[in-house]
Amino acid sequence: MKKDRALLIVDLQNDFCPHGALAVPQGDKIVPLINKYIKLFSKNKLPIFASRDWHPKKTTHFKKFGGLWPVHCVQGSKGAQFHPDLKLPKETVIISKGMSPQKDSYSAFDGEDSSGQPLYNLLKILRIKELYVGGLATDYCVKETVLEALRKGFKVRLLLDAVKGVNIKKGDSEKAIQEMKTQGAKLINFKELKARWSV
Ligand code: VGL
Ligand code: ZN
């Protein structure tokens, strides 16, 4: 197994799941699948990154300060915690993003680890060439993260069975997937990946 791959789980937080402040329909349904990917990557000793939306109380990202969204994923709140069933190994690198009071920051590449190191630098240090991306939401943070990864020269595999979209407009997720594909992302599901890696 080549060591140049990493798993990137995008924003699998309470506020993006049913009953959350910015619930993605069936957002919680991908948790068991993400857990399977986590196991597969752990078994192969490949690094795992988990991004989180991590907003200050006051940011222009929120409707009440001129932005698009209801208040969600405020730093330290229950809504900002990862879904309780998500089984992140202790080696997982947590990437926080959206801390600016003036920026939206949909892409995980806007984020940094607990010591302030940007995601891009961390991936370079580990010589990661290929990112396997799943999480929430297909039509926002997943899309922006995947497109930025491609622009930065990474190969990207979108985990088709482990993403869900907001679909503010009907078909947004489908459109986002098409766009990621057009820009060079390859699609894969768990069964295919497992079969490939088991030979
Ligand atoms: C997200 C909307 C607002 C996301 C974050 O993680 O996809 N969407 N903030
Ligand atoms: Zn947000």
Side-chain angles (χ1 to χ4, degrees):
M1 173 64 61
K2 281 203 275 172
K3 293 294 173 204
D4 60 354
R5 312 142 187 225
L7 177 62
L8 173 54
I9 305 156
V10 175
D11 300 2
L12 203 29
Q13 295 162 275
N14 289 326
D15 269 344
F16 295 123
C17 291
H19 311 294
L22 185 40
V24 175
Q26 305 192 313
D28 56 337
K29 290 288 195 305
I30 65 169
V31 175
L33 257 305
I34 292 277
N35 283 337
K36 284 197 198 182
Y37 284 105
I38 289 173
K39 259 197 181 160
L40 187 61
F41 276 73
S42 289
K43 211 175 83 186
N44 286 287
K45 303 203 162 39
L46 296 169
I48 297 171
F49 294 82
S51 72
R52 63 180 183 185
D53 219 23
W54 197 244
H55 298 307
K57 279 196 186 123
K58 195 173 168 191
T59 161
T60 54
H61 184 60
F62 296 158
K63 232 180 251 165
K64 61 178 182 180
F65 303 109
L68 267 186
W69 309 103
V71 172
H72 63 278
C73 297
V74 171
Q75 294 166 14
S77 67
K78 174 120 191 274
Q81 287 172 14
F82 290 114
H83 188 285
D85 298 338
L86 182 63
K87 295 197 175 76
L88 292 176
K90 61 175 185 325
E91 310 78 39
T92 305
V93 180
I94 309 292
I95 300 292
S96 303
K97 66 176 174 67
M99 288 90 84
S100 161
Q102 271 127 11
K103 258 180 75 190
D104 282 308
S105 294
Y106 295 115
S107 165
F109 285 92
D110 280 343
E112 57 193 42
D113 74 358
S114 57
S115 68
Q117 188 78 260
L119 175 60
Y120 180 81
N121 295 4
L122 297 164
L123 295 172
K124 283 289 144 184
I125 291 164
L126 292 171
R127 299 175 196 277
I128 301 300
K129 301 234 160 34
E130 187 168 34
L131 278 178
Y132 290 72
V133 183
L136 305 172
T138 315
D139 35 0
Y140 289 92
C141 287
V142 170
K143 181 178 89 171
E144 295 307 324
T145 300
V146 165
L147 295 179
E148 192 162 358
L150 291 165
R151 286 196 298 270
K152 287 182 165 11
F154 294 97
K155 285 204 242 173
V156 178
R157 299 261 176 196
L158 179 70
L159 309 178
L160 205 50
D161 49 359
V163 290
K164 284 268 186 248
V166 190
N167 289 310
I168 290 183
K169 283 216 308 275
K170 198 171 160 239
D172 276 355
S173 288
E174 208 35 59
K175 235 175 84 187
I177 291 170
Q178 284 313 318
E179 195 180 340
M180 291 184 260
K181 244 175 103 174
T182 305
Q183 295 307 317
K186 298 269 197 300
L187 312 183
I188 199 159
N189 62 36
F190 186 76
K191 243 177 106 176
E192 284 168 355
L193 186 63
K194 184 141 195 242
R196 241 182 244 196
W197 284 10
S198 305
V199 289

